[in-house]
Amino acid sequence: MKKLSTLLVALLLVSAAFSQGTRKVTADKIVGIVGDKIILKSDVYNDILDRQRRGEQVPPNANCFIMEQLLTLKALVLQAEKDSIIVGEDEIDALLDNQVRGFIQMYGSKDELERIAGRSIYQIKEDFRQSFTERKKAERMRDKITESVKITPQEVTEYYNKIPKDSLAFYESEVEISQVIVYPKPSRELELLAMDELSDFKRQAENGTQKFETLAQLYTDDPGSKESGGRYSINRTEKSWDPAFIQNAFRLKEGQISPVFKSKFGYHIIKMEKRSGDDAIVRHILRIPKITDDEINNSLNLLDSVRSKLIAGTMNFGEAVNKYSEDDASKFTGGRSQNETGGSYLTMDQLGKEMVEFLTKSNLKPGEISKPNVFTEDRTQKKGVRLVFLKSRTDPHRENLKDDYDRIAQRAIEEKKQVALEKWFSSRISTFYLMIDEDFAGCETMSNWLQYAVKTK
């Protein structure tokens, strides 16, 4: 067996699973078995067809590469079940929700996705469920196999020294930042004003004075739906929606408009346009009560006292986040902002425009904590007050041990885990019942698998 992919379970079954939900290749058959886990011809070739459809380069031996990944996945799943590794349904539901959201973005709308798939959102999720469960079990088994792998600074240095100098990565300027964020609370008078405005919009829409979508275009404080007249496609099971929004939406019949209600974003009314089971098309109007200088000053004073404690050393930044921060996105990361892969290094184009301007104007240095500053969220236009801790800032540079030790160490330990994983497979392949179709008999990369597989005609 050649080198197993360290991303093995992350790369598998995403496009293939969708393909199985939308179409099949020519007559399907079983082309592989590991224990009691089967691999279908469509599992392999639908993936290749999808890559070709997306315009990706497909190597001549793509079928061998994908087949080996599938054999590896099934073996890990089989061992995970033997070791009683459990994956919760809630965890799988969350993964399914994320995948379907990705497809909706890819195809433009829920309706278009269902049209192309020829299946409802619920059916698409059920098509995915087994493959996503297997993928997660395989990930857990891989983690168990490699959990004892550690790495020393000497090993990191040796790993780095083996990299050809002309192959070292070049990095743009990056920062690591953490924040304590509080949101000033509006006065009760301004909350009541927002509620009265929405009640008036509801009356206008119900008596036909104005169309709901026109009112949304004119008055909603939600920039994400303003141009579409407040329109959203929603699903009752998707956990990305505010619970109050979902609860109030699905109490409505088609054509009904909700009473005024409060979410974490502000106050809303919702009109139910169309509903089918757990799926619905709604329109909403959001009003965010105005924040006065008095409320902003109260928040500034609060964070100024927090900053004093941080500088005096009577509180650390993580404690300040846990006690005071109201930002859900960073509450459980110690206030740390993350990039798309969950890492802590962000380039300037990954920061919001307002954060870039703040870092530029404040001249904050690594290790310093800013004075409290007022900002407006890009997405929600919500006003907040924050403390910013600039942990580090790098200049544009070629990768080196001094500036990039953590990243280099992460790659080094992944390589070491790779060796441990390959060693585990080398000792276990012979213990699995294996059947591999003769179509893959010429796959040189699968020699370790093929030598233990039963012969097929």
Side-chain angles (χ1 to χ4, degrees), residues 409-444:
Q410 184 60 39
R411 295 206 309 272
I413 197 168
E414 284 301 320
E415 185 174 276
K416 193 171 181 180
K417 286 180 179 180
Q418 187 66 46
V419 172
L421 193 62
E422 291 174 5
K423 186 181 295 184
W424 184 87
F425 267 96
S426 293
S427 67
R428 294 299 182 97
I429 286 180
S430 62
T431 68
F432 299 125
Y433 171 78
L434 294 174
M435 186 282 283
I436 300 173
D437 192 83
E438 62 182 359
D439 287 353
F440 301 90
C443 293
E444 295 180 3

Side-chain angles (χ1 to χ4, degrees), residues 5-267:
S5 170
T6 57
L7 297 177
L8 122 104
V9 288
L11 294 174
L12 284 173
L13 299 173
V14 176
S15 60
F18 185 55
S19 298
Q20 292 172 36
T22 58
R23 55 181 166 76
K24 292 287 184 182
V25 294
T26 54
D28 219 344
K29 70 173 182 176
I30 295 173
V31 293
I33 301 176
V34 183
D36 61 353
K37 310 298 177 188
I38 66 170
I39 299 169
L40 298 174
K41 184 176 182 180
S42 59
D43 295 334
V44 179
Y45 290 97
N46 277 348
D47 186 272
I48 295 173
L49 290 173
D50 275 347
R51 291 168 193 248
Q52 291 172 336
R53 178 175 53 81
R54 294 193 299 267
E56 297 177 12
Q57 284 191 336
V58 178
N61 63 341
N63 61 326
C64 299
F65 171 74
I66 294 167
M67 182 63 168
E68 184 178 11
Q69 285 199 325
L70 288 167
L71 289 165
T72 302
L73 177 87
K74 300 295 184 181
L76 287 170
V77 171
L78 191 67
Q79 190 64 47
E81 292 175 354
K82 287 180 180 179
D83 291 358
S84 301
I85 290 176
I86 297 173
V87 175
E89 286 298 315
D90 288 348
E91 188 174 6
I92 300 304
D93 286 339
L95 290 172
L96 292 170
D97 287 344
N98 286 336
Q99 185 62 67
V100 168
R101 276 195 295 274
F103 284 139
I104 289 173
Q105 289 178 351
M106 184 188 304
Y107 292 105
S109 70
K110 179 183 73 67
D111 291 341
E112 183 64 9
L113 170 61
E114 291 183 328
R115 185 189 70 78
I116 291 172
R119 307 175 73 73
S120 69
I121 294 294
Y122 173 80
Q123 290 170 323
I124 292 171
K125 287 182 179 179
E126 290 309 299
D127 288 341
F128 278 149
R129 188 170 295 277
Q130 180 181 346
S131 59
F132 272 51
T133 301
E134 287 191 344
R135 186 176 73 180
K136 185 53 67 175
K137 285 181 178 179
E139 287 177 354
R140 293 273 165 80
M141 191 64 226
R142 178 188 182 275
D143 291 343
K144 182 177 179 180
I145 294 166
T146 61
E147 64 185 355
S148 62
V149 176
K150 309 295 179 188
I151 198 161
T152 66
Q154 182 180 344
E155 288 176 308
V156 175
T157 300
E158 291 172 353
Y159 170 85
Y160 173 76
N161 289 335
K162 291 178 183 176
I163 304 173
K165 300 309 176 192
D166 58 357
S167 298
L168 292 171
F170 183 82
Y171 297 118
E172 300 293 340
S173 179
E174 295 176 312
V175 295
E176 288 183 289
I177 59 173
S178 297
Q179 301 178 77
V180 177
I181 298 175
V182 297
Y183 297 105
K185 307 299 185 292
S187 67
R188 185 57 182 163
E189 290 77 12
L190 291 177
E191 284 190 317
L192 290 172
L193 176 60
M195 295 169 70
D196 288 343
E197 288 175 333
L198 287 168
S199 295
D200 183 52
F201 298 154
K202 175 179 165 72
R203 282 192 295 271
Q204 291 184 54
E206 287 180 334
N207 65 27
T209 306
Q210 275 282 21
K211 291 183 178 180
F212 192 97
E213 51 265 43
T214 302
L215 290 166
Q217 288 172 334
L218 291 171
Y219 300 112
T220 190
D221 290 327
D222 174 19
S225 66
K226 192 174 184 71
E227 290 188 4
S228 65
R231 188 179 188 275
Y232 279 117
S233 295
I234 62 175
N235 181 279
R236 188 202 295 266
T237 64
E238 289 184 357
K239 299 187 173 48
S240 60
W241 291 96
D242 182 89
F245 190 93
I246 290 294
Q247 290 167 12
N248 280 275
F250 282 91
R251 288 175 182 155
L252 302 173
K253 296 178 181 178
E254 289 187 8
Q256 278 189 322
I257 299 174
S258 75
V260 178
F261 68 93
K262 185 178 182 180
S263 78
K264 66 181 180 182
F265 299 104
Y267 289 89

